[in-house]
């Protein structure tokens, strides 16, 4: 999960994801929170370089969002 600045718009977040070569799995309740994935290694570093303030493990983030594990792993 990537958490971008809360003042960013959804468009800003999508531009950041595009710069990091990430695909969005699910949006969070706020437009600045997304679950993202990439086949290429180094995604957390690329997300940080694209503006993400915080990167969380997807399973941990899913628990914080109240999602079942199957909602993020399949």
């Amino acid at each position: 999960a990537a958490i971008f600045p809360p003042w960013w718009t959804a468009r800003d977040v999508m531009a950041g994801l595009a710069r990091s070569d990430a695909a969005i799995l699910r949006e969070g309740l706020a437009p600045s929170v997304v679950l993202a994935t990439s086949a290429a290694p180094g995604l957390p570093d690329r997300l940080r370089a694209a503006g993400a303030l915080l990167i969380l493990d997807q399973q941990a983030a899913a628990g914080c969002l109240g999602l079942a594990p199957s909602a993020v792993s399949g």
Side-chain angles (χ1 to χ4, degrees), residues 1-63:
I3 301 172
F4 288 90
W7 56 88
W8 279 23
T9 65
R11 183 177 180 170
D12 295 331
V13 172
M14 293 305 145
L17 289 172
R19 287 192 303 275
S20 66
D21 189 33
I24 190 167
L25 295 174
R26 181 181 290 268
E27 295 177 304
L29 294 176
S32 60
V33 179
V34 293
L35 292 179
T37 190
S38 176
L43 180 59
D45 292 332
R46 293 195 316 271
L47 287 167
R48 284 186 197 92
L53 300 175
L54 182 63
I55 309 298
L56 300 171
D57 173 83
Q58 71 175 4
Q59 295 297 330

